[in-house]
């Protein structure tokens, strides 16, 4: 059996051809491909505006900045995420706060958000962990009643839907953020995007992505047609046209990519349903989980570790998502304590993300299941 990892990209000849075309075009950055990719993202998600950037992390930083997040402001997110979700708030000298997770769906517990809200809370960032959308209606109700903005960390959730509409359409939020890292649903190698329906947020994101420089609406009236004017401190978070060409080609295949992920998820659900040793993420009728990850929780930390090492001996490389953000030494040094969110910590000790990606064959999925069952039966 080949080496099996928890996730990997699907690149085919048509993707390569598109990248080669972009390389041969007049502009390999700031050309036509980035706006075309943004249009394709808008069309796919249903959002009014899209801003492609250099990574999901850059997208988070960009949208937080566009929403005016600043020193002493607070955001609320959950610890079961990649550190970038809250790091991007730290970049702006704002303070992340962590609400614990729900043990059944592994997502932020919407009922634990309220008690963290203060007069400094500016943004709630629900993370659609593994691809399962959070309870956006409830989070939206909470946020709106306190005049708080919502940014969906949808880095795991391209292709997911909530109440029948695509994640990324921002019906329940002010902005949504995607990542196009190779393990995600589509890839641009590195890359990300902000989606929003708000023109003002969109314009700020465009500026933030490119040094805060205006090419129109100057404060000082210039004579030169090539005049650029910097209005605030921005970054170079631009995506290249080479990456955008790959993104356009990949996005054309998103439905088949998601379909295959769902088939694999179904095989796992059927294999482990009823098991007292393995818990799987809850499924909802009105939420489609596009399964960036297939996350399972074992009965104990010891069992999870046994499975992890046995799979590794068999050339199957799983991963653990996530060590709670508030347990990273950097966060501990800032005064955070993982014991404040005990369910996220317990989850981390027992979780394993099983292989799921479009190129994974049925035989490989059954091989993974067989190896897990071997450990379970040996108990
Ligand atoms: C939930 C979540 N948020 C943010 C990011 C950051 O995305 P990127 O790696 O593209 O910077 C990731 C990437 O792994 C992620 O999983």
């Amino acid at each position: 059996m080949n080496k099996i990892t928890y996730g990997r990209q699907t690149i085919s000849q048509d993707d390569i051809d598109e990248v080669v075309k972009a390389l041969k075009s007049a502009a390999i950055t700031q050309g036509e491909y980035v706006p075309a990719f943004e249009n394709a993202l808008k069309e796919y998600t249903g959002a009014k505006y899209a801003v492609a950037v250099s990574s999901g992390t850059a997208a988070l930083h960009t949208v937080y900045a566009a929403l005016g997040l600043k020193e002493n402001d607070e955001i609320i997110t959950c610890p079961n995420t990649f550190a970038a979700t809250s790091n991007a708030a730290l970049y702006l000298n704002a303070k992340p706060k962590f609400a614990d997770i729900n043990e059944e769906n592994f997502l932020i517990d919407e009922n634990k958000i309220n008690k963290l809200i203060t007069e400094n809370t500016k943004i709630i960032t629900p993370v659609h962990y593994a691809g399962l959308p959070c309870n956006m209606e409830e989070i939206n109700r909470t946020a709106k009643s306190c005049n708080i903005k919502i940014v969906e960390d949808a880095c795991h959730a391209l292709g997911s839907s909530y109440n029948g509409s695509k994640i990324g359409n921002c019906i329940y939020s002010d902005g949504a953020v995607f990542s196009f890292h190779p393990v995600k649903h589509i890839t641009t190698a590195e890359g990300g995007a902000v989606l929003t329906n708000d023109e003002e947020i969109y314009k700020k994101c465009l500026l933030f992505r490119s040094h805060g420089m205006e090419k129109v609406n100057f404060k000082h009236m210039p004579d030169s047609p090539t005049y650029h004017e910097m209005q605030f401190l921005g970054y170079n978070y631009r995506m290249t046209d080479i990456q955008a060409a790959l993104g356009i080609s990949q996005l054309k295949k998103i439905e088949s990519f998601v379909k295959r992920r769902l088939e694999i998820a179904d095989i796992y659900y059927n294999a482990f349903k009823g098991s007292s040793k393995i818990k799987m993420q809850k499924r909802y009728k009105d939420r489609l989980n596009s399964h960036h990850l297939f996350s399972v929780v074992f009965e104990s930390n010891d069992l999870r570790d046994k499975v992890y090492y046995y799979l590794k001996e068999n050339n199957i490389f799983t991963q653990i998502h996530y060590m709670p953000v508030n347990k990273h030494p950097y966060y501990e040094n800032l005064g955070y304590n993982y014991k404040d969110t005990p369910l996220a910590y317990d989850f981390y000790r027992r979780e394993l993300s099983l292989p799921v990606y479009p190129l994974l064959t049925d035989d490989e999925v059954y091989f993974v299941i067989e190896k897990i069952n071997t450990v379970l039966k040996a108990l």
Side-chain angles (χ1 to χ4, degrees):
M1 203 49 85
N2 292 329
K3 178 178 172 180
I4 300 174
T5 52
Y6 83 93
R8 62 164 297 181
Q9 70 276 19
T10 310
I11 301 285
S12 33
Q13 191 56 45
D14 53 334
D15 298 311
I16 296 166
D17 293 344
E18 287 306 316
V19 170
V20 171
K21 256 195 244 166
L23 272 166
K24 291 180 176 169
S25 67
I28 58 173
T29 191
Q30 295 179 280
E32 290 167 9
Y33 286 91
V34 169
F37 182 42
E38 291 170 340
N39 283 339
L41 286 170
K42 286 191 291 189
E43 200 171 309
Y44 180 67
T45 59
K48 274 195 193 157
Y49 305 101
V51 179
V53 291
S54 53
S55 68
T57 306
L60 284 158
H61 189 189
T62 299
V63 71
Y64 287 166
L67 287 168
L69 192 72
K70 58 177 187 333
E71 191 162 5
N72 298 326
D73 287 345
E74 293 169 1
I75 72 153
I76 297 172
T77 186
C78 80
N80 182 32
T81 185
F82 187 59
T85 313
S86 52
N87 287 352
L90 294 179
Y91 298 162
L92 296 159
N93 300 313
K95 184 178 175 190
K97 285 186 151 183
F98 297 103
D100 211 349
I101 60 167
N102 171 310
E103 287 175 293
E104 300 306 315
N105 60 26
F106 316 161
L107 305 172
I108 191 168
D109 184 339
E110 59 277 4
N111 300 313
K112 292 184 179 144
I113 293 175
N114 244 316
K115 70 172 195 296
L116 296 179
I117 293 177
T118 70
E119 57 185 14
N120 295 327
T121 309
K122 291 288 148 52
I123 298 173
I124 298 171
T125 309
V127 180
H128 303 315
Y129 172 80
L132 181 65
C134 298
N135 184 344
M136 291 309 297
E137 273 186 307
E138 188 57 36
I139 293 170
N140 183 274
R141 250 193 301 276
T142 304
K144 290 301 159 247
S145 66
C146 304
N147 200 20
I148 294 169
K149 304 287 185 195
I150 299 176
V151 170
E152 295 170 77
D153 184 333
C155 287
H156 294 189
L158 188 69
S160 294
S161 55
Y162 179 80
N163 279 347
S165 54
K166 284 259 157 31
I167 288 295
N169 64 11
C170 302
I171 289 179
Y172 299 97
S173 68
D174 300 280
V177 160
F178 291 116
S179 160
F180 308 122
H181 180 274
V183 291
K184 301 296 189 322
H185 294 85
I186 66 163
T187 189
T188 59
E190 296 286 354
V194 178
L195 282 294
T196 182
N197 292 324
D198 184 312
E199 192 179 0
E200 208 177 308
I201 296 171
Y202 166 65
K203 284 183 173 164
K204 284 189 182 153
C205 287
L206 282 182
L207 283 181
F208 193 79
R209 165 176 81 173
S210 204
H211 308 284
M213 274 188 189
E214 285 273 20
K215 293 184 187 165
V216 289
N217 300 328
F218 301 127
K219 204 166 170 194
H220 309 293
M221 286 309 290
D223 299 329
S224 161
T226 58
Y227 187 72
H228 287 185
E229 200 173 69
M230 187 177 139
Q231 308 295 358
F232 60 83
L233 191 62
Y235 288 72
N236 178 354
Y237 277 164
R238 294 188 301 265
M239 175 180 275
T240 65
D241 277 59
I242 304 165
Q243 292 168 297
L246 180 55
I248 294 166
S249 178
Q250 288 264 297
L251 192 56
K252 286 182 186 150
K253 294 178 274 191
I254 181 74
E255 295 303 349
S256 67
F257 288 169
V258 171
K259 183 167 169 277
R260 180 62 192 147
R261 284 175 182 272
L262 297 184
E263 284 166 4
I264 294 167
D266 273 343
I267 298 177
Y268 284 134
Y269 272 107
N270 283 327
F272 299 126
K273 71 171 181 248
S275 166
S276 58
K277 309 255 177 276
I278 300 182
K279 182 158 83 180
M280 293 174 283
Q281 200 170 17
K282 189 172 170 183
R283 293 173 130 181
Y284 294 82
K285 280 205 185 76
D286 54 356
R287 305 187 207 181
L288 177 75
N289 181 348
S290 62
H291 280 292
H292 158 55
L293 300 176
F294 195 89
S295 174
V296 298
V297 177
F298 287 92
E299 196 182 31
S300 67
N301 172 249
D302 181 52
L303 178 57
R304 190 276 308 272
D305 287 353
K306 278 200 177 96
V307 171
Y308 173 85
Y309 287 113
Y310 187 66
L311 293 179
K312 200 168 164 194
E313 275 169 35
N314 284 280
N315 226 9
I316 303 163
F317 296 85
T318 53
Q319 278 262 9
I320 293 162
H321 296 96
Y322 287 97
M323 175 155 105
V325 179
N326 49 9
K327 198 178 178 347
H328 283 286
Y330 183 79
Y331 278 80
E332 287 185 325
N333 289 337
L334 292 177
Y336 289 89
N337 188 342
Y338 68 89
K339 290 181 184 154
D340 292 340
T341 50
L343 298 180
Y345 180 63
D346 179 52
F347 174 82
Y348 154 65
R349 285 170 50 80
R350 297 190 287 129
E351 194 271 347
L352 205 58
S353 297
L354 306 184
V356 58
Y357 49 88
L359 290 176
L360 198 67
T361 64
D362 281 6
D363 282 351
E364 287 170 325
V365 182
Y366 287 116
F367 181 69
V368 172
I369 292 167
E370 181 201 313
K371 295 300 162 202
I372 294 173
N373 282 333
T374 305
V375 181
L376 298 184
K377 281 184 195 136
L379 288 176

